[in-house]
Amino acid sequence: MPRGRYALYDPHDHTPLGEEHFHCAPGPSGWRYVAQTTTPSGDHAGSVDLTLDALGRPLRLELHAASWQVRGAALEGVTWVRTDPTGEHATEGNVPAHAFTGASPAFYVALSRLLRLPPGAPATRVRLVAFTAPVLAPRTLDQSWALVNRTAHATDNGPLTVDEYQVGDLDTGEQHPVHLAGDIVLAAPGIELEDLDSPPSTLT
């Protein structure tokens, strides 16, 4: 069960946005990721709890940020309930999308598990619902994903396979690389792995 810490920052001007302290592991249903986020000053900012099924679909998602809460799952596309800080006005949403996304590194791992792309294959289009802090407002977007390279690196614990994805925003045309090793994000825009206490888990 890898445990560690990601540094989060603005990908455009590198302003620090805080940290995400996480642990994750394969489980009976597929994979689970649990994290607490903090501000640059160290104050609690929110949490992430994501469980995938064996096919990589979001079995359960729970996000907290600034007193807002979202609970979602793959159901007739993706379905979610978003609750305001007072708890009085919950709103429901449903979109014919493939999965969820957001600021957490967990979503990159989740998408890689869902798509299971072979190296060198043409880019795949995927529709996602994004929740962005601080109010977790939902937004539907389209991305393209391609696995452009897969390399094995020798380590003290045996070979470490690193996958390099090219992820594109189909609304803006922007593209960026994402490097994953098992269930750990090694590098991505706005994300830097700061600490990891054990090797990544291999997801099948």
Side-chain angles (χ1 to χ4, degrees):
M1 179 185 294
R3 292 177 180 267
R5 174 170 48 89
Y6 291 109
L8 307 180
Y9 57 89
D10 187 303
H12 301 291
D13 62 13
H14 294 273
T15 300
L17 299 178
E19 294 183 335
E20 187 158 304
H21 300 255
F22 70 93
H23 62 271
C24 56
S29 62
W31 182 71
R32 187 178 183 195
Y33 179 98
V34 177
Q36 300 290 324
T37 56
T38 58
T39 66
S41 62
D43 295 329
H44 178 73
S47 63
V48 181
D49 191 339
L50 174 64
T51 301
L52 306 181
D53 68 11
L55 298 177
R57 298 173 298 192
L59 194 63
R60 186 175 72 90
L61 171 68
E62 186 168 328
L63 299 175
H64 292 265
S67 299
W68 292 87
Q69 175 181 293
V70 166
R71 292 185 179 183
L75 181 65
E76 297 180 351
V78 293
T79 299
W80 68 92
V81 175
R82 176 173 172 264
T83 305
D84 64 294
T86 65
E88 296 178 1
H89 305 288
T91 57
E92 297 184 8
N94 174 263
V95 171
H98 297 91
F100 299 109
T101 190
S104 173
F107 293 112
Y108 282 121
V109 178
L111 259 293
S112 74
R113 294 299 91 205
L114 179 68
L115 297 175
R116 301 176 189 270
L117 300 174
T124 293
R125 181 180 181 132
V126 58
R127 173 155 288 187
L128 305 169
V129 173
F131 296 104
T132 53
V135 297
L136 302 180
R139 179 172 68 95
T140 303
L141 56 88
D142 294 306
Q143 289 183 342
S144 65
W145 276 64
L147 178 52
V148 296
N149 197 18
R150 174 172 285 164
T151 56
H153 299 266
T155 72
D156 294 339
N157 298 301
L160 179 69
T161 300
V162 177
D163 288 339
E164 179 186 351
Y165 291 88
Q166 191 74 18
V167 178
D169 184 325
L170 295 182
D171 291 332
T172 65
E174 293 183 8
Q175 293 191 335
H176 58 266
V178 174
H179 294 83
L180 303 180
D183 58 355
I184 298 297
V185 177
L186 299 180
I191 298 168
E192 187 172 326
L193 182 64
E194 293 277 309
D195 184 48
L196 186 64
D197 70 353
S198 61
S201 299
T202 301
L203 301 178
T204 57

